[in-house]
Each structure stands twice: as C-alpha cells, then as structure tokens.
Amino acid sequence: MTASDGSHLAVKIGPHFSPLVTRVIGPQDCLLYAIRHPAETVIQLTASQVDGMRPAEAVHFVDVTLRHARRVLASLNAAALVVRLEELVCSPVHVLRKVEQTARLPLIEWPPQVLKGLPADIRFAPDMDHPVVQGHGDGLATLASHWGYA
C-alpha cells in the first residue's frame, strides 16, 4: 500500500515474506516484524481438529519460516524492529515507544482503547509442557533464543 505522502505501508505480509519487500523498502523506511514465541505458535498451528498441522509439521513450518525471516531482515537496507507479541502485551507502552522510535513517529500518549484492544489470552511464559511441544522443546527453545526470548 502507499500512504498519502507517497510512503509505503505493508499492513500484513505472510510468513515467507518475499525479497520483494526488501526491494520496496528503502533506507528511509522501516519494517516492523511481529513474532510470537515459537512454542506457542506451534501449539496454535496444531490446535484445530479440522485443519491443524501435525506437531512435527508445525515445528518444521515455524523453523523454516523464522529462518527465512531472519535472512530477509538481515538483508534489509532499512531500520527493522522485531516486536515480540508477549512483550507488547506485557509492556505495551515500552514496546510502542520502540515502534515510534524505529518508525520515526512522534511520541504520543496512546489512547486507552488501543491498550485495551491487545489480546488478553497471551502469556509471557510459553507452555513448554504442552503435549504438542514435548519432544520438540529443545529445538523450539533454541529457535526462540535466536529471536530474543530467554
């Protein structure tokens, strides 16, 4: 999308966001990349009884997706910020300040409805004891640490 001032705005890009994005984003632009803990992502991908993935398939998908994202982010010639969903929910004002700084937006007082609109079912600590995660915990923990999760 293009904003009224001629700048580009990517509202949502898929898990395998393309190198095309790196060609559209210039040095004056920025990219905000939202992520959720890999273990929680795997749990969500396997949750549906109708179209959920098998655990090993979900772990592989998350691994490939995040490795690809890491490569694309590293190739950017622009500012980038990884926004961890858990941090946004637990410390929204702090994370939104980082977003404002990265996007070179004016610092504002966020309206209460913005903060109330954040998801309420996000835990800061992943459920590493979930049956879907068991057996994949070490790999998911390693992957998570590459994205700044403790």
Side-chain angles (χ1 to χ4, degrees), residues 5-139:
D5 65 357
S7 61
H8 298 285
L9 174 64
V11 177
K12 181 177 181 181
I13 50 181
H16 295 288
F17 68 99
S18 167
L20 171 66
V21 171
T22 63
R23 284 184 244 131
V24 172
I25 294 177
Q28 73 286 0
D29 298 321
C30 72
L31 178 77
L32 304 173
Y33 186 76
I35 185 173
R36 188 167 185 190
H37 193 285
E40 290 296 323
T41 304
V42 166
I43 292 167
Q44 290 301 309
L45 288 171
T46 60
S48 173
Q49 294 295 323
V50 176
D51 62 353
M53 293 179 170
R54 293 183 313 267
E57 179 184 31
V59 169
H60 178 72
F61 177 79
V62 169
D63 181 52
V64 169
T65 299
L66 293 180
R67 287 178 192 270
H68 178 72
R70 176 71 66 201
R71 281 192 303 275
V72 172
L73 287 169
S75 70
L76 282 177
N77 186 24
L81 176 66
V82 173
V83 176
R84 288 177 286 280
L85 180 60
E86 296 83 358
E87 288 179 7
L88 177 61
V89 169
C90 291
S91 186
V93 173
H94 176 71
V95 173
L96 291 172
R97 288 289 176 250
K98 286 195 238 178
V99 167
E100 291 167 339
Q101 291 169 351
T102 302
R104 293 182 297 281
L105 296 170
L107 300 179
I108 63 168
E109 185 68 34
W110 289 85
Q113 63 268 28
V114 170
L115 303 179
K116 289 179 186 173
L118 293 170
D121 62 341
I122 304 297
R123 294 181 309 248
F124 193 75
D127 186 0
M128 297 304 282
D129 293 326
H130 192 282
V132 170
V133 174
Q134 291 176 352
H136 303 283
D138 290 342

